[in-house]
Amino acid sequence: MRALDIIRTKRDGHTLSREAIDAFVGGVTDGTWPDYQVTALLMAIFLKGMSLDEATALTQAMVDSGTRLDFSDLLRPENGSMPVDKHSTGGVGDKTSLILAPLAAACGCLVPMMSGRGLGHTGGTLDKLDAIPGFRTDLSVAKLRKALAATGCVLMRQTAEVAPADRRMYALRDATGTVESIPLIASSILSKKVTEGIGALVLDVKVGSGGFMAGLDEARELSRWLVGIAERSGLRTQALLTRMDTPLGRRIGNATEVREAIETLKGEGPKDIEGLSVTLAARMLMLAGLADEDQAERRIRDALESGRGLEKFRQIIATQGGDPRVIDDPSLLPVAERESLVLAPSTGIITRIDAGGVGRAAVVLGAGRDHVDAVVDPGVGIDLLADEGDTVSRGEPIMRVFYRDSGRLEAALVHLRTACEVGDTAPAPRPLVIETIDIRTAKA
Ligand code: URA
C-alpha cells in the first residue's frame, strides 16, 4: 500500500485497515517511510483519532517490529497461570516497582519487569536501579532467563530490539507536537509491555501535577484505552487511578529512593508508599491467579512483615550483579556531598507540597532529565522532613537537598519554595487510590 493513500485515508477521517497499519509500521521500522510521511500520518491520527481496533492493530504491529520475549516455559504451578508485571505512567518519588516486584516474586509471581529511563519531572525505575553499585539491567536474553528462573523477578532495560517502531515514532511525536494523543500514548506504552511476554498487567495511572496526566477525566480516558487495548492483546489487566498531586514517600532522587524502598521492605517506610506497593502487588497476585481478593493483600503483607520481600530484593540485586550489602548498609549508595535545608516560611500547617514543583526541582538538581540525552546524577535529590498536614514553626527545616552544583541548587530552591505552602487549615485526607478500571468498567 502506498504511504500517500494511507495518509489520505486517515486525513479524511476514515478507519485504517490492519493491512494499512502493518504497512505504516513496516515503513517506520525499515526506514522506507521518510520522516515527513510518518509525521503526516501521526498528525492525522492525532487530529482524527483511532478506534480501539486500530489502536490494538498498531500496538501489535509495533510489538512485531522487534523481538518478543517468551518466558512461559519457566512457569511452575507455584507461579500461577502467567507472568505478570506492573506499569506506572510515572510520578514524583514513585519507587513502588522496587518494593512490589520483590514482594510479588516472594509470593510466587513470575515478574519480568522492563523499565525505562525518566524524562521530565517523573522519575524512571531504570535510573534508580543504576544507582545500586554494580547492578546490571542490560542482560542478554539468556541471562534474563537465568535471573528470572533463579529469583522469580528480573529488572531489565528496554533494548534496541524492543518495539523499534515505537522508538522512532516517539522521537518524531516529541518533535512534532503529537505526543498528547491517547490512542498513540496507549499503544506506545503497551507495545513495550506486550513484548515482555506477560499474561497479566497492573497499571498505575497517576493523576495530578506530578504525573503524566494532571486531570482525572483524561487519566480515566487513558486508563480505558490502556485496559481495552491490553485485554484485546491478550493481557488480563486492571488500571488503578492513583493520586500524584504530592510526592510519594519522603525521598525524591535516585539513590535516595532506593534507600526508601529498602526502608519500606524493612517495614520502616512511609505509609503511603507501603500502602500503594502492597495494593499493587496484591493486584498482581490476583491477576496471576495466585490469590483471590480476600487473601491477596494478606499474603503480600505477610511477605513484607516476615522480611521475605527484603530477602527477595537482596537476592535480585545479587543475581543481577549488584552489591547486596546495600540492604544492610545503605551508606554504600551514592550521595552528593553538599547539603542545604529548606526552611518553613511561616508558622502554621503545611497545606500543600506540590509534586510537580518538587519533580522539577529534582530535574534541575540532576536527578532527572530535561532532554533525552541528559546525564542523571544518582546522588542528588530531596528528602522531605515534613508531610502535608504537619504543623511547623517558622524557620524549621522542612526539606533537605543533596546537591553538587550551587547554580543548580539555587534554581531548585526556587521550585521547592513555591511547591510548599503553609496555612491555617490541614488539607482533608484524600485516598491514594481514586478508582479501579477493568475490562467491565472500561466499556461503561
Ligand atoms: N510513555 C510512552 O512509553 N509512550 C508515550 O507515548 C507516552 C508515554
Side-chain angles (χ1 to χ4, degrees):
M1 294 183 86
R2 288 195 325 153
L4 185 58
D5 296 329
I6 298 172
I7 294 165
R8 281 189 176 134
T9 302
K10 188 43 82 181
R11 179 200 67 188
D12 296 340
H14 301 300
T15 301
L16 296 176
S17 64
R18 171 84 208 215
E19 197 191 357
I21 289 171
D22 284 346
F24 166 52
V25 174
V28 171
T29 311
D30 66 17
T32 50
W33 277 47
D35 284 355
Y36 52 84
Q37 285 183 317
V38 177
T39 51
L41 184 55
L42 289 170
M43 184 57 85
I45 293 171
F46 182 90
L47 295 172
K48 301 289 178 174
M50 278 188 137
S51 68
L52 206 47
D53 280 340
E54 286 175 291
T56 307
L58 179 62
T59 306
Q60 197 57 56
M62 290 199 289
V63 171
D64 293 341
S65 72
T67 313
R68 186 176 177 155
L69 300 168
D70 180 4
F71 299 116
S72 53
D73 58 309
L74 299 180
L75 264 182
R76 303 286 171 265
E78 60 273 22
N79 302 133
S81 41
M82 55 194 70
V84 59
D85 190 15
K86 184 242 29 168
H87 174 79
S88 160
T89 55
V92 177
D94 183 4
K95 68 283 291 173
T96 53
S97 290
L98 304 185
I99 303 159
L100 63 82
L103 286 174
C107 292
C109 290
L110 206 56
V111 188
M113 183 178 276
M114 194 186 294
S115 303
R117 307 195 308 167
L119 183 59
H121 63 278
T122 61
T125 299
L126 211 56
D127 299 319
K128 303 181 215 287
L129 293 170
D130 283 344
I132 302 174
F135 196 93
R136 299 285 301 270
T137 50
D138 57 343
L139 304 180
S140 64
V141 175
K143 288 198 172 138
L144 289 178
R145 297 177 67 76
K146 215 168 148 197
L148 188 57
T151 66
C153 172
V154 66
L155 304 170
M156 51 188 163
R157 71 175 59 220
Q158 197 184 316
T159 62
E161 294 83 45
V162 171
D166 173 64
R167 195 162 315 109
R168 180 165 176 223
M169 279 164 64
Y170 191 77
L172 290 172
R173 285 166 58 208
D174 201 29
T176 56
T178 49
V179 167
E180 299 89 350
S181 149
I182 287 195
L184 291 177
I185 294 170
S187 47
S188 165
I189 291 174
L190 289 170
S191 64
K192 289 160 289 205
K193 292 287 119 183
V194 174
T195 297
E196 293 174 346
I198 50 174
L201 178 64
V202 177
L203 292 159
D204 181 5
V205 179
K206 301 285 187 204
V207 188
S209 68
F212 186 58
M213 299 260 157
L216 183 55
D217 287 344
E218 50 179 354
R220 198 178 271 139
E221 173 84 353
L222 176 62
S223 302
R224 289 196 172 127
W225 277 81
L226 285 165
V227 170
I229 298 171
E231 289 273 352
R232 281 159 187 253
S233 306
L235 304 189
R236 204 183 270 180
T237 309
Q238 272 190 8
L240 275 69
L241 274 75
T242 69
R243 207 157 48 74
M244 186 24 80
D245 43 13
T246 195
L248 258 178
R250 285 186 154 205
R251 297 183 185 268
I252 300 98
N254 293 297
T256 193
E257 290 195 36
V258 174
R259 221 168 267 130
E260 190 166 68
I262 294 169
E263 287 161 1
T264 305
L265 285 167
K266 288 179 178 169
E268 297 160 5
K271 288 299 153 210
D272 59 346
I273 200 83
E274 179 185 300
L276 185 59
S277 305
V278 168
T279 300
L280 294 168
R283 300 293 171 125
M284 292 169 75
L285 220 58
M286 283 160 57
L287 290 183
L290 280 167
D292 61 27
E293 195 158 0
D294 295 339
Q295 310 157 345
E297 197 153 325
R298 187 64 256 150
R299 286 193 51 195
I300 295 291
R301 284 219 168 265
D302 280 350
L304 180 68
E305 286 158 18
S306 64
R308 281 188 295 121
L310 182 71
E311 287 318 304
K312 184 59 78 178
F313 194 34
R314 189 196 303 275
Q315 209 187 350
I316 294 167
I317 292 174
T319 305
Q320 295 195 223
D323 185 348
R325 292 176 304 157
V326 296
I327 297 279
D328 303 314
D329 183 4
S331 72
L332 294 169
L333 292 162
V335 60
E337 60 283 355
R338 300 168 83 185
E339 279 183 36
S340 174
L341 293 171
V342 177
L343 308 179
S346 55
T347 296
I349 297 169
I350 298 185
T351 52
R352 193 168 83 109
I353 302 177
D354 175 53
V358 175
R360 283 187 287 280
V363 172
V364 169
L365 288 171
R369 288 182 190 80
D370 51 3
H371 60 277
V372 277
D373 299 322
V375 176
V376 160
D377 183 336
V380 298
I382 301 143
D383 284 0
L384 304 179
L385 307 177
D387 288 324
E388 281 187 358
D390 285 355
T391 302
V392 289
S393 305
R394 183 182 149 87
E396 184 181 326
I398 51 173
M399 299 179 196
R400 178 174 286 118
V401 183
F402 300 92
Y403 71 101
R404 290 192 211 274
D405 178 289
S406 314
R408 284 175 175 246
L409 172 70
E410 288 312 314
L413 289 177
V414 173
H415 288 294
L416 291 175
R417 289 191 187 116
T418 39
C420 184
E421 287 171 12
V422 177
D424 299 328
T425 322
R430 307 176 305 283
L432 210 46
V433 178
I434 301 166
E435 65 187 57
T436 301
I437 292 182
D438 60 17
I439 189 62
R440 285 162 300 134
T441 43
K443 283 183 186 147

